[in-house]
Amino acid sequence: MSETEIKLMIPGPVSVSPEVLQAMSQHVVPHYGDNFIHFYNETLDLLKLVFKTNQNMFLYVGSGTAGIDACVGSSLAAGDKIIVGSNGFFGDRLIWIAEGNGLIVVPVKVNLGSVLDPADFLQAVQDHPDAKAIMAVHLETSTTIINPIKEIASIAREYDMLMIVDAISSIGGVPLKFDEWGLDLVATSINKCLGAPPGLSPIAVSQRAWKSINASPPKNHGWYSDLRTWNKYATEWADWHPTPVTMPINNIAALNVALKQLMEEGIENRFKRYQNLAIQLRQGLNLIGMPPMTPDHLINPVLTAAYGPEGVPYKPDRSISC
Ligand SMILES: *Cc1c(COP(=O)(O)O)cnc(C)c1O
């Protein structure tokens, strides 16, 4: 099998197109100067179309989790209270990240395979009006459940709390509207629905989030992972060196091409194409005795989990407790 024929049938990273691969193999160029500024800003503008936002965006260097960690640590101080939803492996990781940043966590949990319930968040904010933020996963990859982020965010808005979202496996394949839904900090990764190689975590930050990030006392979140550092370079050195550190140029070049391919197809068209493929996949799985894990009304356009055929043993549980 030639490399171009490799088809990764895993939640991520995903196989990238030949054009994206081609972009990666270009010369290494500086992460500053006119040429860089042009394609860096173009890439950010394309990302804003996908996030549906006019707010600041950053290309944070690292995996998606690095982006989430920077969002949490930059906007909240040790001792702050946060309400964290979890219905699976990555929700539990958000709890772990919050605790790792010294936050007091109010967990909002439902059973594996269930959807997070906005009513539970309403109860949690009423029980904990001193909480500063709500955090949840958009697409819980471990169970393929898509959580009602729009509804949960409206509770955050009503109670004046920040809304932080792990949209690592959803953005580019599942609708998310940063501005319209009133989200505050959202991080994703470029190697899932955005169709680029791993290495960058695009982050969107609202004006409300900036108020929190800039509030005294400072958050003591190091230097690299403090979003204030990234913003300082993005503003003060905007015209020649917009990031605090050396950027993985080739990954940005690859992302740029992947985003242009998404725009060429049309975001809505891509959503529809994935949805249609998921419907066909689910039909096929049912036919071979591997029913999809979620009922039809909880169809996930980008990720399908299925039960194994009868008589075939499942893999052991590999979850990590936190
Ligand atoms: C893949 C995934 C992660 C982990 O992303 P990394 O890029 O490996 O840090 C976190 N959350 C969700 C929902 C994911 O699907």
Side-chain angles (χ1 to χ4, degrees):
M1 187 185 241
S2 83
E3 281 176 48
T4 49
E5 288 172 73
I6 285 181
K7 188 103 200 130
L8 293 176
M9 294 177 73
I10 55 175
V14 300
S15 305
V16 303
S17 70
E19 293 78 16
V20 170
L21 274 184
Q22 182 70 28
M24 277 213 88
S25 65
Q26 303 298 304
H27 283 291
V28 174
V29 294
H31 57 285
Y32 49 82
D34 289 346
N35 288 343
F36 178 73
I37 291 289
H38 171 74
F39 104 100
Y40 180 72
N41 286 339
E42 183 183 73
T43 309
L44 284 183
D45 286 344
L46 290 167
L47 277 171
K48 288 179 189 178
L49 296 176
V50 185
F51 274 65
K52 304 261 182 236
T53 186
N54 292 315
Q55 309 283 332
N56 295 108
M57 282 207 64
F58 300 89
L59 262 187
Y60 192 72
V61 184
S63 79
T65 310
I68 298 286
D69 206 21
C71 288
V72 174
S74 298
S75 61
L76 299 162
D80 282 348
K81 196 182 264 187
I82 184 170
I83 295 163
V84 185
S86 176
N87 51 347
F89 182 86
F90 290 108
D92 282 352
R93 179 180 286 189
L94 291 186
I95 292 175
W96 196 354
I97 291 170
E99 287 174 349
N101 279 283
L103 307 183
I104 299 164
V105 175
V106 177
V108 171
K109 293 204 174 200
V110 292
N111 292 334
L112 284 185
S114 298
V115 186
L116 287 178
D117 186 349
D120 293 342
F121 286 87
L122 189 57
Q123 187 64 51
V125 296
Q126 285 167 351
D127 291 345
H128 302 273
D130 55 332
K132 297 265 173 68
I134 297 177
M135 177 158 66
V137 176
H138 186 202
L139 194 173
E140 175 50 73
T141 309
S142 63
T143 59
T144 74
I145 293 288
I146 297 173
N147 286 317
I149 293 300
K150 183 184 172 191
E151 288 72 19
I152 298 168
S154 77
I155 296 167
R157 290 285 57 80
E158 196 179 329
Y159 287 80
D160 200 21
M161 297 177 188
L162 292 179
M163 185 70 213
I164 306 174
V165 181
D166 167 347
I168 293 175
S169 58
S170 60
I171 282 184
V174 180
L176 178 142
K177 297 177 177 173
F178 187 89
D179 291 352
E180 196 181 308
W181 293 1
L183 310 181
D184 294 303
L185 292 137
V186 174
T188 191
S189 137
I190 65 170
N191 59 265
K192 284 179 174 164
C193 295
L194 294 178
L200 288 165
S201 174
I203 296 176
V205 186
S206 76
Q207 289 307 313
R208 279 182 303 269
W210 280 119
K211 270 195 205 139
S212 218
I213 292 168
N214 291 321
S216 321
K219 309 294 187 289
N220 290 328
H221 198 59
W223 183 87
Y224 185 94
S225 57
D226 186 340
L227 290 176
R228 289 177 308 172
T229 310
W230 290 73
N231 198 38
K232 203 169 166 59
Y233 280 79
T235 48
E236 292 177 21
W237 282 12
D239 58 346
W240 81 286
H241 190 308
T243 63
V245 296
T246 309
M247 297 299 277
I249 308 294
N250 301 56
N251 294 54
I252 303 177
L255 174 63
N256 184 283
V257 171
L259 289 169
K260 282 181 182 157
Q261 291 186 326
L262 171 56
M263 293 308 152
E264 219 167 277
E265 179 173 359
I267 301 176
E268 300 299 325
N269 293 340
R270 184 167 291 186
F271 290 162
K272 263 189 228 129
R273 180 163 63 85
Y274 286 159
Q275 180 87 5
N276 288 336
L277 287 170
I279 291 170
Q280 288 176 41
L281 176 60
R282 293 167 70 93
Q283 285 167 350
L285 285 167
N286 273 318
L287 282 176
I288 59 170
M290 291 181 65
M293 211 208 71
T294 59
D296 285 346
H297 73 278
L298 294 181
I299 184 172
N300 181 325
V302 292
L303 202 54
T304 303
Y307 291 104
E310 224 166 287
V312 177
Y314 291 86
K315 280 253 175 78
D317 179 6
R318 295 240 180 92
S319 60
I320 296 174
S321 57
C322 66

